Amino acid sequence: MNCAERYLEIKKTIPEGVTLLAVSKTWPKEDIMMLYNVGCRDFGENKVQEMTDKYNDLPKDIRWHQIGHLQTNKIKYIASWVYMIHSVDSLKLAAEINKQAAKNSCVVNCLLQLKVAEEETKFGFDISELKQLLADNAFANFSSIRICGIMGMATNTDNVDEIRKEFAEVKSLFDYIRANYGQTVGEEFSQISMGMSGDYPIAIECGSTIVRVGSTIFGQRDYSKHQPQ
Ligand SMILES: *Cc1c(COP(=O)(O)O)cnc(C)c1O
């Protein structure tokens, strides 16, 4: 099977209402076009330069999702065209995205990234920190970002119970925000981005609305061929 065939096989198993985001980082434009030609429009990248290069050369109806940690000084390169930033992991970053979006007279779709995994290295808000920010109405003045939901990454482990527990924490925070801050965040707060190649079926069971799948579609990434940013 090639990547387009694998994409279609996975797509068949994804319920209606859940977006299958094809994570194309490190893969060439030709592979993206193979998926595009069978109907895929949502692609995820984690490096600004690589995503910008692909955006410039590929069809303009592709929805580009920034899924990796974003440095504030790089936002300006993507603010006018990025479809959604999944990795808003600090108030400072949210403020800067808001500023760059305002400069471009656009509104940028954002997801707040939560830290639920055991690993120390994962970026994101702590659950208690995010609850406090919401209580303080900290995002209220950001009229050029649209907070569409939350994003989470589970620990990289074979322990299905642990993964399920972490996804359940994300879902539970999502429900908490809808219940307590529904008026503030509005109807647009509707997305839960969780689940990758190794755990997306569990994530869907736990309420995910966007699964970010890379290697199961494209194959194992070879970072040695990849130009670091
Ligand atoms: C690379 C990446 C993915 C996809 O990972 P796979 O295991 O290849 O599916 C998903 N989410 C984020 C944030 C990533 O960086």
Side-chain angles (χ1 to χ4, degrees), residues 170-185:
V170 178
K171 173 66 161 76
S172 140
L173 185 74
F174 176 83
D175 292 340
Y176 171 89
I177 295 173
R178 288 272 288 215
N180 293 278
Y181 301 100
Q183 297 285 5
T184 320
V185 292

Side-chain angles (χ1 to χ4, degrees), residues 18-82:
V18 176
T19 301
L20 173 55
L21 173 58
V23 175
S24 48
K25 63 188 186 198
T26 77
W27 295 100
K29 293 164 196 163
E30 293 72 30
D31 289 349
I32 295 177
M33 282 312 295
M34 284 178 71
L35 265 65
Y36 181 89
N37 288 331
V38 297
C40 182
R41 292 295 179 272
D42 291 278
F43 291 91
E45 294 282 339
N46 69 342
K47 298 266 192 278
V48 164
Q49 196 182 310
E50 181 180 346
M51 183 166 68
T52 304
D53 177 52
K54 289 172 173 173
Y55 162 76
N56 283 332
D57 287 356
L58 293 173
K60 291 296 173 280
D61 60 343
I62 289 179
R63 295 182 285 264
W64 293 102
H65 298 244
Q66 168 68 26
I67 59 171
H69 176 66
L70 185 56
Q71 288 167 282
T72 48
N73 62 347
K74 301 252 167 82
I75 301 165
K76 57 177 179 287
Y77 301 116
I78 63 172
S80 68
W81 52 267
V82 69

Side-chain angles (χ1 to χ4, degrees), residues 209-224:
T209 68
I210 306 175
V211 289
R212 309 178 309 269
V213 181
S215 42
T216 303
I217 297 173
F218 292 103
Q220 281 308 318
R221 285 178 292 276
D222 181 353
Y223 285 101
S224 67

Side-chain angles (χ1 to χ4, degrees), residues 114-118 125-128 130-131 150-155 161-177 192 194 203 206-207:
L114 280 186
K115 193 160 35 186
V116 286
E118 293 292 336
F125 293 99
D126 290 321
I127 289 179
S128 56
L130 190 53
K131 282 184 174 172
I150 56 183
M151 184 269 227
M153 264 163 107
T155 303
D161 293 336
E162 176 62 28
I163 295 172
R164 202 178 289 279
K165 185 193 103 197
E166 292 171 4
F167 285 154
E169 280 177 46
V170 178
K171 173 66 161 76
S172 140
L173 185 74
F174 176 83
D175 292 340
Y176 171 89
I177 295 173
I192 305 178
M194 60 184 184
C206 294

